[in-house]
Amino acid sequence: MLAVAGEGAGCAFAHVPAFAGRARGGLDRWDEYYRRTTRERYLAELFACVVMNRQFWPEFVARRDTVLILPDCLRRRGEECERKGSRGGPRCTACDETCAVGRMTVAAAKRGAGAIFSIREHGRQFRRLQRGRFKDLSVIGVACIWMLASGMREAEEAGVPSQGVLLNYCGCEHWTDKPHVTDTVVER
């Protein structure tokens, strides 16, 4: 299974072993666990995301209320982002038309869906959304493999069907020594 996943992933994981080797020196970091993940574990999590997308699809499409859950690393303006707080988590104000978060937020609104930034406590975030206007909640998570797989599992534990969309590449502080803005295909 991992060999097939490795072939299918191509060069996407080529730099993982070298990065994990460099990350071993940062044992005092709070995210050290993520940074030392092996290539094989990434491939297993990628496979898990594909399986969960297929497994959760029937219940996902049966729900009325969908919310995009977006990562901070997609914010084009970083700390200058003009996002606003809301009950379910920070929400995009579309302050930069070239920002993937802004484009996804606008696209979601046109389809009657919400869009918010992810918070660390997903279960609490899901409960807040369900107490608000999203009573019949399903979520679309956008994230790196590791965060996407764990977020989809947390959604399942909370009884919220999910679908996952991978980032094109990782650029947050977990995965690179010099964080940079990430991206994804908005049209997905």
Side-chain angles (χ1 to χ4, degrees):
M1 172 183 83
L2 289 180
V4 171
E7 289 172 18
C11 65
F13 297 96
H15 301 289
V16 171
F19 178 79
R22 285 193 315 276
R24 283 191 179 86
L27 298 179
D28 57 340
R29 291 177 54 125
W30 70 270
D31 59 354
E32 175 265 336
Y33 176 74
Y34 300 124
R35 292 173 57 95
R36 294 182 56 206
T37 304
T38 65
R39 180 180 187 273
E40 292 77 19
R41 181 69 185 266
Y42 279 114
L43 291 172
E45 293 294 4
L46 175 61
F47 187 72
C49 288
V50 170
V51 170
M52 287 187 281
N53 272 345
R54 290 180 182 171
Q55 176 186 346
F56 302 150
W57 179 252
E59 190 175 353
F60 174 85
V61 296
R63 298 288 176 107
R64 290 188 319 265
D65 306 316
T66 301
V67 174
L68 291 174
I69 307 290
L70 304 164
D72 282 336
C73 60
L74 271 175
R75 295 185 299 164
R76 183 163 178 80
R77 295 179 63 195
E79 294 304 316
E80 294 176 19
C81 174
E82 297 174 16
R83 67 188 184 168
K84 302 285 184 208
S86 74
R87 178 185 182 119
R91 64 177 174 74
C92 174
T93 61
C95 63
D96 183 338
E97 64 185 35
T98 64
C99 178
V101 172
R103 294 191 329 265
M104 285 188 277
T105 298
V106 169
K110 286 179 182 176
R111 291 163 179 80
I116 59 170
F117 286 96
S118 175
I119 63 172
R120 291 200 193 282
E121 298 172 16
H122 295 297
R124 187 178 82 180
Q125 188 170 32
F126 299 144
R127 286 189 297 278
R128 285 183 175 177
L129 289 167
Q130 288 173 310
R131 284 194 301 262
R133 73 171 228 213
F134 303 104
K135 305 281 187 219
D136 196 26
L137 181 65
S138 63
V139 296
I140 299 172
V142 179
C144 61
I145 292 167
W146 193 256
M147 298 298 160
L148 190 61
S150 65
M152 291 176 79
R153 287 183 185 101
E154 287 183 56
E156 181 181 27
E157 289 173 19
V160 176
S162 65
Q163 290 294 290
V165 177
L166 290 170
L167 294 171
N168 292 349
Y169 50 87
C170 298
C172 73
E173 70 275 5
H174 304 307
W175 314 119
T176 182
D177 295 325
K178 295 179 183 175
H180 54 277
V181 176
T182 56
D183 201 8
T184 191
V185 178
V186 175
E187 293 75 25
R188 286 186 202 170

